[in-house]
């Protein structure tokens, strides 16, 4: 079995101290493998966002270890961590966080600008990614002139532009209507399937979570259950869940088949959910 | 992020809220403008003074005058009148607060080590100048032969010191029957004056050239050569049975190495009861005053700049606040604290640079135009006046200073931006 992309050991995050002490994460240990699609599911306050921040190296744990490609990152320098984030991760946020007055292309190439690419290389790579997402005709438009779905596509392009190993998506469909959500989800899972990009999705949207190959269900800073396999009926069935364990068995050969099925079902489901919610 | 991209992004960011940047820049412009004008005027007036100095004499000359103490009014101190001494310098005349020199004084100066030669300056009083056609023109004042080598000539040459020559001012050319300055060069003229017995005397001289008025007021009157002025003086002092002792207003000592010998020569002059002044002594004080005024005015301009720098702090703090999310995003996408700091500092520098370029440009423009208007207008009569000079070094220094102040002002907001936590910045509740 390959080295996990990300692994954690006894991850603890505590905010405040004394009476205002809040244990956001209470000792989590798990692994995320290359090419996996993982959903971190839970109500607000369950600690799922905190977990994503720690995984994405945006924050340092109070105790415990986060390792990237088998290498613990907690003791790395801030600058080194920044560089790792820039080169290894892509981010998709619910709120898009696009620069409204900048062009689509400028927004998409921001990570490359930060990592010091030349302007010509940046634009070439940016257009490449925009073409991949069928947004190349909007490259010169201002980000503020786009629709919500287009904005999220730009965000995905931005997350993809540095060819990341892992894409973190924080409620990627939270601000979109259901039809647009479907399209964005299709894009994300298409990338996951076609390019082997590891996908870590934080969501409370069951439909989105169901399309992932594994789900960590969180409650009060702990992983209360873990589910494997893509759910066809888009309903998180707790009977499929297993107790939290670090023993990873998601990489069974059947996964590919499941994903193929997912693709077909996904198309069906787009119609279904659209009809259902209308 | 590459430095070029940092600079470009910073420029783009400052242009994002144009009105705010504009208002901040205005404050900087005012400071930079005031600073440029002040130092430009200081440089201009100093230049004018330098020019005046040039006309007054040369750097290798020391002006020797009688001691100022000797000329002080009697009874000015508590000692009362001094006892008469027949052998003392009792016959000295005083003039303009300093006593005149006699031959003994000139000899004493000549004997001082380091003094190459001494030229005693006599005051000559010429009544009229008669042109080749016999017409006579009143001479109110004759120039001094020491000025001869500093004359600015329109035609011909300055009078040769050992020939009977003189230079006439440009304004005299038509009176002397010439159409253009070169017409009168080489003409012979008669100079008329009275001796001590009130008898008319004349001396013949050749016009060596035509001078134009200079900053130091030389060249506006006929300027004789040393030989001519000595001849006139000798003739003017004649007429009485007893030979009159020569008196000189001052003497000009040529010094080989002024820098090395200045102090020792001055000491020896003091011992001889004389005072020596170099060109620097005469004008150093004026320049000192001009420089002081320049620095005081410059100080006010710097206060204006400091006030403007708080405008930068304010603007950038607002900008950091507004762009919290953008900063958070950039940090999440891997921008280091240093680069975030650099980006915001660069915005301060861009504002400073815009302000200084506009301010210095406007200052130079206003200075040059104002100078032209004043010098060719109300102050036309002041020959060679310069009120404003463009000094490239001070312009560069002012720009650097303004940008430096802007950078310092930017450090606080930039540090605040650099400290922002990407998680807090990206939280959207």
């Amino acid at each position: 079995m390959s080295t996990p992309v990300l692994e954690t050991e006894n991850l603890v995050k505590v905010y405040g101290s004394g009476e205002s002490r809040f244990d956001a994460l209470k000792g989590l240990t798990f692994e995320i493998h290359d090419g996996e699609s993982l959903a971190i599911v839970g109500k607000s306050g369950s600690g799922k966002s905190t977990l994503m921040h720690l995984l994405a190296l945006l924050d340092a744990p109070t105790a415990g270890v986060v390792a990237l490609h088998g290498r613990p990152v907690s003791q790395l320098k801030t600058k080194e961590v920044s560089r790792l984030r820039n080169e290894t991760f892509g981010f998709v946020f619910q709120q898009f966080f696009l620069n409204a007055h900048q062009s689509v292309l400028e927004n998409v190439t921001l990570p490359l600008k930060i990592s010091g690419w030349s302007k010509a290389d940046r634009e070439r790579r940016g257009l490449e990614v925009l073409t991949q997402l069928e947004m190349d005709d909007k490259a010169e438009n201002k980000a503020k002139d786009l629709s919500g779905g287009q904005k999220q596509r730009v965000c995905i392009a931005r997350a993809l532009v540095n060819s990341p190993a892992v894409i973190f998506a924080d409620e990627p469909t939270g601000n979109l209507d259901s039809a647009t959500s479907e399209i964005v989800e299709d894009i994300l899972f298409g990338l996951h399937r076609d390019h082997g990009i590891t996908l870590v999705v934080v969501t409370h949207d069951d439909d989105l979570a169901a399309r992932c190959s594994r789900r960590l269900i969180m409650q009060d800073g702990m992983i209360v259950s873990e589910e494997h396999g893509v759910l066809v009926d888009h309903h998180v069935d707790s009977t499929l869940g297993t107790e939290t364990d670090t023993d990873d068995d998601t990489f069974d050969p059947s996964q590919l088949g499941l994903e193929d099925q997912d693709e077909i079902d996904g198309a069906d489901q787009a119609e279904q959910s659209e009809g259902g919610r209308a | 992020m590459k430095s070029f991209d940092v600079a470009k992004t910073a420029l783009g960011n400052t242009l994002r809220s144009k009105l705010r940047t504009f208002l901040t820049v205005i404050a900087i412009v005012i400071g930079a403008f005031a600073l440029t004008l002040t130092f430009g005027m200081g440089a201009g007036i100093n230049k004018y003074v330098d020019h005046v100095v040039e006309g007054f004499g040369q750097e290798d000359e020391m002006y020797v005058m009688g001691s100022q103490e000797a000329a002080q009014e009697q009874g000015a101190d508590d000692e009362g009148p001094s006892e008469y001494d027949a052998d003392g310098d009792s016959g000295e005349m005083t003039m303009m607060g300093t006593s005149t020199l006699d031959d003994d004084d000139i000899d004493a100066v000549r004997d001082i080590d380091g003094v190459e030669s001494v030229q005693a300056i006599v005051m000559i009083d010429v009544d009229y100048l008669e042109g080749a056609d016999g017409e006579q023109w009143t001479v109110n004042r004759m120039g001094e032969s020491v000025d001869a080598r500093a004359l600015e000539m329109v035609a011909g040459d300055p009078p040769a010191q050992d020939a009977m020559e003189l230079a006439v001012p440009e304004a005299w050319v038509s009176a002397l029957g010439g159409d253009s300055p070169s017409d009168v060069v080489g003409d012979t003229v008669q100079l008329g004056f009275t001796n001590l017995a009130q008898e008319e005397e004349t001396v013949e001289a050749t016009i060596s050239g035509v001078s134009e008025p200079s900053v130091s007021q030389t060249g506006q009157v006929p300027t004789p050569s040393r030989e001519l002025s000595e001849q006139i003086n000798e003739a003017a002092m004649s007429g009485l049975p007893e030979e009159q002792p020569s008196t000189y207003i001052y003497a000009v000592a040529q010094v080989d190495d002024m820098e090395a010998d200045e102090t020792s020569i001055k000491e020896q002059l003091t011992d001889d009861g004389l005072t020596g002044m170099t060109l620097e002594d005469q004008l150093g004080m004026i320049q000192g005053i001009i420089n002081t005024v320049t620095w005081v005015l410059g100080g006010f301009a710097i206060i204006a700049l400091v006030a403007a720098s708080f405008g930068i702090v304010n603007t950038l703090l607002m900008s950091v606040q507004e762009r919290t999310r953008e900063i958070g995003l950039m940090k999440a996408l891997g921008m280091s604290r240093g680069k975030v700091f650099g980006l915001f500092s660069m915005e301060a520098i861009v504002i400073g640079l815009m302000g200084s370029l506009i301010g210095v440009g406007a200052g130079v423009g206003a200075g040059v135009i104002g100078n032209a208007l004043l010098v060719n207008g109300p102050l036309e009569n002041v020959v060679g006046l310069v009120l404003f000079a463009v000094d490239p070094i001070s312009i560069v220094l002012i720009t650097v200073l303004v940008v430096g102040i802007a950078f310092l002002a930017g450090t606080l907001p930039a540090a605040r931006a650099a400290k922002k936590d990407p998680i807090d910045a990206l939280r959207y509740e």
Side-chain angles (χ1 to χ4, degrees), chain B residues 107-121:
Chain B
D107 289 339
V109 175
R110 194 171 284 125
D111 289 342
I112 294 173
D113 286 342
V115 174
E116 195 184 3
S117 66
V118 181
Q119 192 182 352
I121 306 301

Side-chain angles (χ1 to χ4, degrees), chain A residues 99-107 130 135-146 150 154:
Chain A
N99 266 334
H101 55 93
Q102 282 186 342
S103 76
V104 164
L105 190 59
E106 280 174 293
N107 271 292
L130 281 172
M135 286 287 289
D136 48 324
D137 54 327
K138 297 266 194 277
E140 298 305 322
N141 289 33
K142 292 265 185 262
K144 61 173 188 249
D145 299 332
L146 301 178
Q150 287 171 328
V154 172

Side-chain angles (χ1 to χ4, degrees), chain B residues 24-228:
Chain B
T24 316
V25 166
I26 284 280
I28 302 282
V29 165
I30 292 169
F33 177 81
L35 210 53
T36 309
L37 262 192
T38 310
F39 281 91
M41 280 175 68
I45 293 171
N46 272 331
K47 202 170 169 183
Y48 171 64
V49 170
D50 274 348
H51 206 49
V52 170
V53 171
E54 251 168 52
F56 271 156
Q58 314 288 329
E59 299 212 333
D60 59 350
E61 287 172 350
M62 188 179 280
Y63 297 80
V64 181
M65 280 153 284
S67 169
Q68 294 189 340
E69 283 155 39
Q72 229 137 61
E73 216 178 316
Q74 286 187 325
D77 48 30
D78 293 338
E79 288 173 23
S82 50
E83 204 176 328
Y84 177 69
D85 177 4
D87 299 328
D89 274 349
S90 53
E92 279 183 342
M93 300 190 336
T94 62
M95 184 178 284
M96 318 270 274
T98 53
S99 51
T100 55
L101 307 177
D102 55 24
D103 285 326
D104 291 342
D105 291 328
I106 302 298
D107 289 339
V109 175
R110 194 171 284 125
D111 289 342
I112 294 173
D113 286 342
V115 174
E116 195 184 3
S117 66
V118 181
Q119 192 182 352
I121 306 301
V122 291
M123 193 158 81
I124 50 173
D125 187 12
V126 172
D127 297 332
Y128 64 86
L129 189 151
E130 187 183 309
D133 54 3
E135 274 197 79
Q136 294 178 344
W137 307 93
T138 308
V139 178
N140 291 328
R141 187 167 72 83
M142 280 298 272
E144 287 163 10
S145 57
V146 276
D147 293 337
R149 66 172 167 156
L151 283 180
E152 286 167 31
M153 306 306 293
V154 184
D157 298 309
Q161 295 293 22
D162 47 3
M164 294 290 278
E165 289 183 344
L166 84 165
V168 294
E170 205 175 353
W172 284 53
V173 169
S174 61
L176 293 170
D179 291 326
S180 73
S182 54
D183 292 346
V184 298
V185 174
D187 283 5
T188 305
V189 294
Q190 305 284 330
L191 295 162
F193 50 93
T194 49
N195 66 13
L196 291 174
Q198 297 302 310
E199 296 162 342
E200 285 261 318
E201 295 261 358
T202 56
V203 163
E204 201 177 79
T206 309
I207 296 175
S208 68
V210 177
S211 61
E212 61 179 350
S214 75
V215 178
S216 52
Q217 318 284 313
T218 60
Q220 293 178 334
V221 291
T223 309
S225 68
R226 188 173 61 222
E227 180 66 19
L228 178 61

Side-chain angles (χ1 to χ4, degrees), chain A residues 149-170:
Chain A
Q150 287 171 328
K151 277 182 184 165
Q152 198 57 297
R153 263 200 273 177
V154 172
C155 288
I156 294 171
R158 183 176 63 196
L160 271 180
V161 80
N162 56 350
S163 316
V166 184
I167 289 184
F168 288 96
D170 188 2

Side-chain angles (χ1 to χ4, degrees), chain A residues 15 49 53 58-59 78-79 82-83 85-86 91 93-99 101-102 107 110-111 113-119 122 158 170-171, chain B residues 1-2 4-6 8-10 12-13 16 323 325-326 328-339 421-429:
Chain A
Y15 293 107
S49 288
H53 293 152
L58 286 168
D59 203 355
T78 326
K79 207 168 180 173
S82 293
R83 198 182 55 78
R85 247 192 345 255
N86 181 270
F91 293 93
F93 303 99
Q94 178 182 7
Q95 298 289 321
F96 314 137
F97 297 127
L98 296 174
N99 266 334
H101 55 93
Q102 282 186 342
N107 271 292
L110 180 62
K113 192 170 170 181
I114 288 170
S115 69
W117 288 41
S118 75
K119 190 175 161 69
R122 286 203 305 260
R158 183 176 63 196
D170 188 2
E171 302 285 8
Chain B
M1 203 183 232
K2 282 184 185 160
F4 174 73
D5 283 323
V6 171
K8 218 176 137 198
T9 310
N13 287 342
R16 209 186 289 177
R323 281 150 60 191
R325 260 182 210 169
E326 192 189 322
L329 177 73
M330 288 191 294
K331 292 192 81 175
L333 296 183
M335 191 141 154
S336 66
R337 287 172 75 136
K339 292 284 185 192
D421 186 343
I423 299 169
D424 289 340
L426 291 175
R427 198 157 279 161
Y428 39 80
E429 285 90 17

Side-chain angles (χ1 to χ4, degrees), chain B residues 251-271:
Chain B
V252 179
Q254 295 278 337
V255 179
D256 277 340
D257 189 353
M258 183 63 86
E259 223 171 295
D261 295 337
E262 186 183 338
T263 324
S264 71
I265 293 174
K266 276 185 183 171
E267 272 168 16
Q268 291 186 60
L269 284 172
T270 311
D271 290 345

